Each structure stands twice: as structure tokens, then as C-alpha cells.
Amino acid sequence: MYKPYIEQRDALANLFDRMYDLRQAVAKNAVMRTSATTRISRKNRFDYTPDDCFRFHEAVDKRCCPPSNAYRSVRAPT
């Protein structure tokens, strides 16, 4: 099932890298620091900043990931 993706792994990685570079270029041309800033402004979300989003993600990583990882480590293999 995953074989076609695995066979194209390098091509897909290059494509995603190119997409990232293009998003960064769009953000730079729009006089914005990152593509995250661009996405937030496009969606008219002015009640929080990209830094707020990054802090939220860090909080999720700190609080939610350890219990989830612990659960996965003791769960029976399928």
C-alpha cells in the first residue's frame, strides 16, 4: 500500500521543500516574517499572533505528547 510513496520519497521531499521555499518567498515579498504570519493575516485572524500559535504548540507538546507517548509505549503491538 505504501510502496508507491516510498519509491517516490525523494521526489516528494524535493516537492515539499520547493513548496516551503515558495511560501517563504511569498511571505518575504509581502513584507512578513514567515509564511505563518501571511496565513494568519489572510484568514483575518488578528486576535492572536504567530508567536501565540507557537506557544500553543509548545504547550501541547509539553502536556499532551508525553501521556500519548507513554500510552503508545505500553500498548500491545498490532
Side-chain angles (χ1 to χ4, degrees):
M1 180 167 121
Y2 297 108
K3 188 175 180 180
Y5 295 103
I6 293 170
E7 291 172 351
Q8 296 296 319
R9 180 177 30 205
D10 292 335
L12 291 170
N14 291 334
L15 177 63
F16 285 120
D17 290 343
R18 179 74 178 128
M19 290 169 55
Y20 176 81
D21 292 339
L22 290 172
R23 286 193 301 270
Q24 292 299 320
V26 167
K28 184 178 180 182
N29 291 338
V31 191
M32 298 196 180
R33 283 186 317 162
T34 64
S35 62
T37 307
T38 305
R39 286 191 310 270
I40 287 174
S41 66
R42 281 186 188 161
K43 295 179 180 183
N44 296 321
R45 294 182 177 158
F46 300 109
D47 51 337
Y48 55 88
T49 67
D51 291 333
D52 294 331
C53 294
F54 293 130
R55 283 197 306 276
F56 173 75
H57 287 229
E58 288 171 5
V60 169
D61 284 343
K62 184 178 179 182
R63 295 289 185 171
C64 298
C65 291
S68 176
N69 292 339
Y71 170 75
R72 275 186 258 147
S73 68
V74 298
R75 169 177 95 166
T78 56

Coordinates of all heavy atoms in Angstrom, one line a residue:
M1 N 0.8 -1.2 0.0 CA 0.0 0.0 0.0 C 0.9 1.3 0.0 O 0.6 2.2 -0.7 CB -0.9 0.0 1.2 CG -1.8 1.2 1.3 SD -3.1 0.9 2.6 CE -2.7 2.3 3.6
Y2 N 1.9 1.3 0.8 CA 2.8 2.5 0.8 C 3.9 2.4 -0.2 O 4.7 3.4 -0.2 CB 3.4 2.6 2.3 CG 2.3 2.8 3.3 CD1 2.0 1.8 4.2 CD2 1.6 4.0 3.4 CE1 1.0 2.0 5.1 CE2 0.6 4.2 4.3 CZ 0.3 3.2 5.2 OH -0.7 3.4 6.1
K3 N 4.1 1.4 -0.9 CA 5.2 1.2 -1.7 C 5.4 2.3 -2.8 O 6.5 2.8 -3.0 CB 5.2 -0.2 -2.5 CG 6.4 -0.5 -3.2 CD 6.3 -1.9 -3.8 CE 7.6 -2.2 -4.6 NZ 7.6 -3.5 -5.2
P4 N 4.3 2.8 -3.4 CA 4.4 3.9 -4.4 C 5.0 5.1 -3.7 O 5.8 5.9 -4.3 CB 3.0 4.1 -4.9 CG 2.3 2.8 -4.7 CD 2.9 2.2 -3.4
Y5 N 4.6 5.4 -2.5 CA 5.0 6.6 -1.8 C 6.5 6.5 -1.4 O 7.3 7.4 -1.5 CB 4.2 6.9 -0.5 CG 2.8 7.2 -0.9 CD1 1.8 6.3 -0.7 CD2 2.4 8.5 -1.3 CE1 0.5 6.6 -1.0 CE2 1.1 8.8 -1.7 CZ 0.2 7.8 -1.5 OH -1.1 8.1 -1.8
I6 N 6.9 5.3 -1.0 CA 8.3 5.0 -0.6 C 9.2 5.1 -1.8 O 10.3 5.7 -1.7 CB 8.4 3.6 0.1 CG1 7.7 3.7 1.4 CG2 9.9 3.3 0.3 CD1 7.5 2.3 2.1
E7 N 8.7 4.6 -2.9 CA 9.5 4.7 -4.1 C 9.7 6.1 -4.6 O 10.7 6.5 -5.2 CB 8.8 3.9 -5.3 CG 8.9 2.4 -5.0 CD 8.1 1.6 -6.0 OE1 7.3 2.2 -6.8 OE2 8.2 0.4 -6.0
Q8 N 8.8 7.0 -4.3 CA 8.8 8.4 -4.7 C 9.2 9.4 -3.6 O 9.0 10.6 -3.7 CB 7.5 8.8 -5.3 CG 7.0 8.1 -6.5 CD 8.0 8.4 -7.7 OE1 8.4 9.5 -7.9 NE2 8.3 7.4 -8.4
R9 N 9.8 8.8 -2.5 CA 10.1 9.6 -1.3 C 11.0 10.8 -1.6 O 10.7 11.9 -1.2 CB 10.8 8.7 -0.3 CG 11.1 9.4 1.0 CD 11.7 8.6 2.1 NE 12.4 7.4 1.5 CZ 12.6 6.3 2.2 NH1 12.2 6.2 3.4 NH2 13.3 5.3 1.6
D10 N 12.0 10.6 -2.4 CA 12.9 11.7 -2.7 C 12.2 12.8 -3.5 O 12.4 14.0 -3.2 CB 14.2 11.2 -3.4 CG 15.1 10.4 -2.5 OD1 15.0 10.5 -1.3 OD2 15.8 9.5 -3.1
A11 N 11.5 12.4 -4.5 CA 10.7 13.3 -5.3 C 9.7 14.1 -4.5 O 9.6 15.4 -4.6 CB 10.0 12.6 -6.5
L12 N 9.0 13.4 -3.6 CA 8.1 14.1 -2.7 C 8.8 15.1 -1.8 O 8.3 16.2 -1.5 CB 7.2 13.1 -2.0 CG 6.2 12.3 -2.8 CD1 5.6 11.2 -2.0 CD2 5.2 13.2 -3.4
A13 N 9.9 14.6 -1.2 CA 10.6 15.5 -0.3 C 11.1 16.8 -1.0 O 11.0 17.9 -0.5 CB 11.8 14.7 0.3
N14 N 11.6 16.6 -2.2 CA 12.0 17.8 -3.0 C 10.8 18.7 -3.3 O 11.0 19.9 -3.2 CB 12.7 17.3 -4.3 CG 14.0 16.7 -4.1 OD1 14.7 16.9 -3.1 ND2 14.4 15.8 -5.0
L15 N 9.7 18.1 -3.6 CA 8.5 18.9 -3.9 C 8.1 19.7 -2.6 O 7.8 20.9 -2.7 CB 7.3 18.0 -4.3 CG 6.0 18.7 -4.6 CD1 6.1 19.7 -5.8 CD2 5.0 17.6 -4.9
F16 N 8.0 19.1 -1.5 CA 7.7 19.8 -0.3 C 8.7 20.8 0.1 O 8.3 21.9 0.5 CB 7.5 18.8 0.9 CG 6.2 18.0 0.8 CD1 6.3 16.6 0.8 CD2 5.0 18.6 0.8 CE1 5.1 15.9 0.7 CE2 3.8 17.9 0.7 CZ 3.9 16.5 0.7
D17 N 10.0 20.6 -0.1 CA 11.0 21.6 0.1 C 10.8 22.8 -0.8 O 10.9 23.9 -0.4 CB 12.4 21.0 -0.1 CG 12.8 20.1 1.0 OD1 12.2 20.0 2.0 OD2 13.8 19.3 0.7
R18 N 10.4 22.6 -2.1 CA 10.2 23.6 -3.0 C 9.0 24.4 -2.6 O 9.0 25.7 -2.7 CB 10.0 23.1 -4.4 CG 9.7 24.1 -5.5 CD 11.0 24.9 -5.8 NE 10.6 25.8 -6.9 CZ 10.8 27.1 -6.8 NH1 11.5 27.6 -5.8 NH2 10.5 27.9 -7.8
M19 N 7.9 23.7 -2.2 CA 6.7 24.4 -1.7 C 7.0 25.3 -0.5 O 6.5 26.4 -0.4 CB 5.6 23.4 -1.4 CG 5.0 22.7 -2.6 SD 4.0 21.3 -2.2 CE 2.8 22.0 -1.1
Y20 N 7.8 24.8 0.4 CA 8.2 25.6 1.6 C 9.0 26.9 1.1 O 8.7 28.0 1.6 CB 9.1 24.8 2.5 CG 9.6 25.6 3.7 CD1 8.7 25.8 4.8 CD2 10.8 26.1 3.7 CE1 9.2 26.5 5.9 CE2 11.3 26.8 4.8 CZ 10.5 27.0 5.9 OH 10.9 27.8 6.9
D21 N 9.9 26.7 0.2 CA 10.7 27.9 -0.2 C 9.8 28.9 -0.9 O 9.9 30.1 -0.7 CB 11.8 27.4 -1.2 CG 12.9 26.6 -0.6 OD1 13.0 26.7 0.7 OD2 13.5 25.8 -1.3
L22 N 8.8 28.4 -1.7 CA 7.9 29.4 -2.3 C 7.0 30.1 -1.3 O 6.8 31.3 -1.4 CB 7.0 28.6 -3.3 CG 7.7 28.1 -4.6 CD1 6.8 27.2 -5.4 CD2 8.2 29.3 -5.4
R23 N 6.6 29.4 -0.3 CA 5.8 30.1 0.8 C 6.6 31.1 1.5 O 6.1 32.2 1.8 CB 5.2 29.0 1.8 CG 4.1 28.2 1.2 CD 3.3 27.5 2.3 NE 4.2 26.5 3.0 CZ 4.4 25.3 2.7 NH1 3.8 24.8 1.6 NH2 5.2 24.5 3.4
Q24 N 7.9 30.8 1.8 CA 8.7 31.8 2.4 C 8.9 33.0 1.5 O 9.0 34.1 2.0 CB 10.1 31.1 2.8 CG 10.0 30.1 3.9 CD 9.4 30.6 5.2 OE1 9.8 31.7 5.6 NE2 8.5 29.9 5.8
A25 N 9.1 32.8 0.2 CA 9.3 33.9 -0.7 C 8.0 34.8 -0.8 O 8.1 36.0 -0.8 CB 9.6 33.3 -2.1
V26 N 6.9 34.1 -0.7 CA 5.6 34.9 -0.7 C 5.6 35.8 0.5 O 5.2 37.0 0.5 CB 4.4 34.0 -0.8 CG1 3.1 34.7 -0.5 CG2 4.3 33.4 -2.2
A27 N 5.9 35.2 1.7 CA 5.9 35.9 2.9 C 6.9 37.1 2.9 O 6.6 38.2 3.3 CB 6.2 35.0 4.1
K28 N 8.1 36.8 2.3 CA 9.1 37.9 2.2 C 8.6 39.0 1.3 O 8.8 40.2 1.7 CB 10.4 37.3 1.7 CG 11.5 38.3 1.7 CD 12.8 37.6 1.2 CE 13.9 38.7 1.2 NZ 15.2 38.0 0.7
N29 N 8.0 38.7 0.2 CA 7.5 39.7 -0.7 C 6.4 40.5 -0.1 O 6.1 41.6 -0.5 CB 7.1 39.0 -2.1 CG 8.3 38.5 -2.8 OD1 9.5 39.0 -2.6 ND2 8.1 37.6 -3.7
A30 N 5.7 39.9 0.8 CA 4.5 40.5 1.4 C 5.0 41.3 2.6 O 4.2 41.8 3.4 CB 3.5 39.5 1.8
V31 N 6.3 41.4 2.8 CA 6.9 42.1 4.0 C 6.4 41.5 5.3 O 6.0 42.2 6.2 CB 6.6 43.6 3.9 CG1 7.4 44.4 5.0 CG2 6.8 44.2 2.6
M32 N 6.4 40.2 5.3 CA 6.0 39.5 6.5 C 7.1 38.5 6.9 O 7.8 38.0 6.0 CB 4.7 38.7 6.3 CG 3.6 39.6 6.0 SD 2.0 38.8 6.2 CE 0.9 40.2 5.8
R33 N 7.3 38.3 8.2 CA 8.4 37.5 8.6 C 8.4 36.0 8.1 O 9.4 35.5 7.7 CB 8.5 37.4 10.1 CG 9.0 38.6 10.8 CD 9.2 38.4 12.3 NE 8.0 37.8 12.7 CZ 7.9 37.1 13.9 NH1 8.9 37.1 14.7 NH2 6.8 36.6 14.3
T34 N 7.3 35.4 8.2 CA 7.2 34.0 7.9 C 5.9 33.7 7.1 O 5.0 34.6 7.1 CB 7.2 33.1 9.1 OG1 6.0 33.4 9.9 CG2 8.4 33.3 10.0
S35 N 5.8 32.5 6.6 CA 4.5 32.1 5.9 C 3.4 32.0 7.0 O 2.2 32.2 6.6 CB 4.7 30.8 5.1 OG 5.0 29.8 6.0
A36 N 3.7 31.7 8.2 CA 2.7 31.7 9.3 C 2.0 33.0 9.4 O 0.8 33.1 9.5 CB 3.3 31.2 10.6
T37 N 2.8 34.1 9.4 CA 2.2 35.4 9.5 C 1.3 35.7 8.3 O 0.2 36.3 8.5 CB 3.4 36.5 9.6 OG1 4.3 36.1 10.6 CG2 2.8 37.9 9.8
T38 N 1.8 35.3 7.2 CA 1.0 35.5 6.0 C -0.4 34.8 6.1 O -1.4 35.3 5.8 CB 1.7 35.0 4.7 OG1 3.0 35.7 4.7 CG2 1.0 35.3 3.4
R39 N -0.3 33.5 6.5 CA -1.5 32.7 6.6 C -2.5 33.3 7.6 O -3.7 33.4 7.3 CB -1.2 31.3 7.0 CG -0.6 30.5 5.8 CD -0.5 29.0 6.2 NE 0.1 28.7 7.5 CZ 1.4 28.5 7.7 NH1 2.2 28.6 6.7 NH2 1.8 28.3 8.9
I40 N -2.0 33.7 8.7 CA -2.9 34.3 9.8 C -3.5 35.6 9.2 O -4.7 35.8 9.4 CB -2.1 34.5 11.1 CG1 -1.8 33.2 11.7 CG2 -2.8 35.5 12.0 CD1 -0.9 33.3 12.9
S41 N -2.8 36.4 8.6 CA -3.4 37.7 8.1 C -4.4 37.4 6.9 O -5.4 38.1 6.8 CB -2.3 38.7 7.6 OG -1.6 38.2 6.5
R42 N -4.1 36.4 6.1 CA -5.0 36.1 5.0 C -6.4 35.6 5.6 O -7.4 35.8 4.9 CB -4.5 35.0 4.1 CG -3.5 35.5 3.1 CD -3.1 34.4 2.2 NE -2.0 34.8 1.4 CZ -1.2 34.0 0.7 NH1 -1.4 32.7 0.8 NH2 -0.2 34.4 0.0
K43 N -6.3 35.0 6.7 CA -7.6 34.5 7.3 C -8.2 35.5 8.3 O -9.2 35.2 9.0 CB -7.3 33.2 8.1 CG -6.8 32.1 7.1 CD -6.5 30.8 7.9 CE -6.1 29.7 6.9 NZ -5.8 28.4 7.5
N44 N -7.7 36.7 8.2 CA -8.2 37.8 9.1 C -8.3 37.4 10.6 O -9.2 37.7 11.3 CB -9.6 38.2 8.6 CG -9.5 38.8 7.2 OD1 -8.6 39.6 6.9 ND2 -10.5 38.6 6.4
R45 N -7.2 36.7 11.0 CA -7.2 36.3 12.4 C -6.2 37.3 13.1 O -5.0 37.0 13.2 CB -6.7 34.9 12.5 CG -7.7 33.9 12.0 CD -7.3 32.5 12.1 NE -8.4 31.7 11.6 CZ -8.2 30.4 11.2 NH1 -7.0 29.9 11.2 NH2 -9.2 29.7 10.8
F46 N -6.7 38.4 13.6 CA -5.9 39.4 14.2 C -6.0 39.3 15.7 O -5.4 40.2 16.4 CB -6.3 40.7 13.7 CG -6.1 40.8 12.2 CD1 -7.2 40.9 11.4 CD2 -4.8 40.8 11.6 CE1 -7.1 41.0 10.0 CE2 -4.7 40.9 10.3 CZ -5.8 41.0 9.4
D47 N -6.7 38.4 16.3 CA -6.8 38.3 17.8 C -5.6 37.5 18.4 O -5.5 37.4 19.6 CB -8.1 37.7 18.2 CG -8.5 36.4 17.5 OD1 -7.9 36.2 16.4 OD2 -9.3 35.7 18.0
Y48 N -4.8 36.9 17.5 CA -3.6 36.2 18.0 C -2.5 36.3 17.0 O -2.8 36.6 15.8 CB -3.9 34.7 18.4 CG -4.5 33.9 17.3 CD1 -3.7 33.2 16.4 CD2 -5.8 33.7 17.2 CE1 -4.2 32.5 15.4 CE2 -6.4 33.0 16.2 CZ -5.6 32.3 15.3 OH -6.1 31.6 14.3
T49 N -1.3 36.1 17.4 CA -0.1 36.2 16.5 C 0.5 34.9 16.2 O 0.2 33.9 16.9 CB 0.9 37.1 17.2 OG1 1.4 36.4 18.4 CG2 0.4 38.5 17.6
P50 N 1.4 34.8 15.3 CA 2.2 33.5 15.1 C 2.9 33.1 16.4 O 2.9 31.9 16.7 CB 3.2 33.9 14.0 CG 2.5 34.9 13.2 CD 1.8 35.8 14.3
D51 N 3.4 34.0 17.2 CA 4.1 33.6 18.4 C 3.1 33.0 19.4 O 3.4 32.0 20.1 CB 4.7 34.8 19.1 CG 5.9 35.4 18.3 OD1 6.5 34.5 17.6 OD2 6.2 36.6 18.4
D52 N 1.8 33.4 19.4 CA 0.8 32.8 20.2 C 0.6 31.3 19.7 O 0.4 30.4 20.6 CB -0.5 33.5 20.1 CG -0.5 34.9 20.7 OD1 0.3 35.1 21.7 OD2 -1.2 35.8 20.3
C53 N 0.6 31.1 18.4 CA 0.4 29.8 17.9 C 1.6 28.9 18.3 O 1.4 27.7 18.7 CB 0.3 29.9 16.4 SG -1.2 30.7 15.8
F54 N 2.8 29.4 18.2 CA 4.0 28.6 18.5 C 4.0 28.3 20.0 O 4.3 27.1 20.4 CB 5.3 29.4 18.2 CG 5.5 29.5 16.7 CD1 5.8 30.8 16.2 CD2 5.3 28.5 15.8 CE1 5.9 31.0 14.8 CE2 5.5 28.6 14.5 CZ 5.8 29.9 14.0
R55 N 3.5 29.2 20.9 CA 3.4 28.9 22.3 C 2.4 27.9 22.6 O 2.6 27.0 23.4 CB 3.1 30.2 23.1 CG 4.3 31.1 23.3 CD 4.2 32.1 24.4 NE 3.0 32.9 24.2 CZ 2.9 34.0 23.5 NH1 3.9 34.4 22.8 NH2 1.8 34.7 23.4
F56 N 1.3 27.9 21.8 CA 0.2 26.9 22.0 C 0.8 25.5 21.6 O 0.6 24.5 22.3 CB -1.0 27.3 21.1 CG -2.0 26.2 21.1 CD1 -2.9 26.0 22.2 CD2 -2.2 25.4 20.0 CE1 -3.8 25.0 22.2 CE2 -3.1 24.4 19.9 CZ -4.0 24.2 21.0
H57 N 1.5 25.5 20.5 CA 2.0 24.2 20.0 C 3.0 23.6 21.0 O 3.1 22.4 21.3 CB 2.7 24.4 18.6 CG 1.7 24.6 17.6 ND1 1.7 23.9 16.4 CD2 0.6 25.4 17.5 CE1 0.7 24.2 15.6 NE2 0.0 25.2 16.2
E58 N 3.8 24.5 21.6 CA 4.8 24.1 22.6 C 4.1 23.5 23.8 O 4.5 22.5 24.4 CB 5.7 25.2 23.0 CG 6.7 25.6 21.9 CD 7.5 26.8 22.2 OE1 7.3 27.4 23.3 OE2 8.3 27.2 21.3
A59 N 3.0 24.2 24.2 CA 2.2 23.7 25.4 C 1.6 22.4 25.1 O 1.6 21.5 26.0 CB 1.1 24.7 25.7
V60 N 1.1 22.2 23.9 CA 0.5 20.9 23.5 C 1.6 19.8 23.6 O 1.4 18.7 24.1 CB -0.2 20.9 22.1 CG1 -0.5 19.5 21.6 CG2 -1.4 21.8 22.2
D61 N 2.8 20.1 23.0 CA 3.9 19.2 23.0 C 4.3 18.8 24.5 O 4.6 17.6 24.8 CB 5.1 19.7 22.3 CG 5.0 19.7 20.8 OD1 4.1 18.9 20.3 OD2 5.8 20.4 20.1
K62 N 4.3 19.8 25.3 CA 4.7 19.6 26.7 C 3.7 18.8 27.5 O 4.0 17.9 28.3 CB 4.9 20.9 27.4 CG 5.5 20.8 28.8 CD 5.7 22.2 29.4 CE 6.2 22.1 30.8 NZ 6.4 23.5 31.3
R63 N 2.4 19.1 27.3 CA 1.3 18.5 28.1 C 0.7 17.3 27.5 O 0.3 16.3 28.2 CB 0.2 19.5 28.4 CG 0.6 20.6 29.2 CD 0.9 20.2 30.6 NE 1.2 21.3 31.5 CZ 1.3 21.2 32.8 NH1 1.0 20.1 33.4 NH2 1.6 22.3 33.5
C64 N 0.5 17.2 26.2 CA -0.3 16.1 25.6 C 0.6 15.0 25.0 O 0.2 13.9 25.1 CB -1.1 16.7 24.4 SG -2.3 17.9 25.0
C65 N 1.8 15.4 24.5 CA 2.6 14.4 23.9 C 3.2 13.3 24.9 O 3.2 12.1 24.6 CB 3.7 15.0 23.1 SG 3.1 15.8 21.6
P66 N 3.7 13.8 26.1 CA 4.2 12.7 27.0 C 3.2 11.7 27.4 O 3.5 10.5 27.3 CB 4.7 13.5 28.2 CG 5.0 14.9 27.6 CD 4.0 15.1 26.6
P67 N 1.9 12.0 27.8 CA 1.0 10.9 28.1 C 0.7 10.1 26.8 O 0.5 8.9 26.9 CB -0.3 11.7 28.5 CG 0.2 13.0 28.9 CD 1.4 13.3 28.1
S68 N 0.6 10.7 25.7 CA 0.3 10.0 24.5 C 1.4 9.0 24.1 O 1.2 7.9 23.8 CB 0.1 10.9 23.3 OG -0.1 10.2 22.1
N69 N 2.7 9.5 24.3 CA 3.8 8.6 24.0 C 3.9 7.5 25.0 O 4.2 6.4 24.7 CB 5.1 9.4 24.1 CG 5.2 10.4 22.9 OD1 4.5 10.3 21.9 ND2 6.0 11.5 23.1
A70 N 3.6 7.8 26.3 CA 3.6 6.7 27.3 C 2.5 5.7 27.0 O 2.8 4.5 27.1 CB 3.3 7.3 28.7
Y71 N 1.4 6.1 26.6 CA 0.3 5.2 26.2 C 0.7 4.3 25.1 O 0.6 3.1 25.1 CB -1.0 5.9 25.8 CG -2.0 5.1 25.2 CD1 -2.8 4.2 26.0 CD2 -2.3 5.1 23.9 CE1 -3.8 3.4 25.5 CE2 -3.3 4.2 23.3 CZ -4.0 3.4 24.1 OH -5.0 2.6 23.6
R72 N 1.3 4.9 24.0 CA 1.8 4.1 22.9 C 2.9 3.1 23.3 O 3.0 2.1 22.7 CB 2.3 5.0 21.8 CG 1.1 5.5 20.9 CD 1.6 6.3 19.8 NE 1.4 7.7 20.1 CZ 2.1 8.7 19.8 NH1 3.1 8.5 19.0 NH2 1.8 9.9 20.2
S73 N 3.7 3.5 24.2 CA 4.8 2.6 24.6 C 4.3 1.3 25.3 O 5.0 0.3 25.3 CB 5.9 3.3 25.4 OG 5.4 3.6 26.7
V74 N 3.2 1.4 26.0 CA 2.7 0.3 26.8 C 1.6 -0.5 26.1 O 1.2 -1.6 26.5 CB 2.2 0.7 28.2 CG1 3.4 1.2 29.0 CG2 1.1 1.6 28.1
R75 N 1.1 0.1 25.0 CA 0.0 -0.5 24.3 C 0.5 -1.8 23.5 O 1.6 -1.8 23.1 CB -0.5 0.5 23.3 CG -1.4 0.1 22.2 CD -1.9 1.2 21.4 NE -1.0 1.4 20.3 CZ -1.3 2.1 19.2 NH1 -2.4 2.9 19.3 NH2 -0.6 2.1 18.2
A76 N -0.3 -2.8 23.5 CA 0.0 -4.0 22.8 C 0.2 -3.8 21.3 O -0.5 -3.0 20.7 CB -1.0 -5.1 23.0
P77 N 1.3 -4.3 20.7 CA 1.5 -4.2 19.3 C 0.4 -4.8 18.5 O -0.2 -5.8 18.9 CB 2.8 -4.9 19.0 CG 3.1 -5.7 20.2 CD 2.3 -5.2 21.3
T78 N 0.1 -4.2 17.3 CA -1.0 -4.7 16.5 C -0.5 -5.6 15.4 O 0.7 -5.5 15.0 CB -1.8 -3.6 15.9 OG1 -0.9 -2.7 15.2 CG2 -2.5 -2.8 17.0

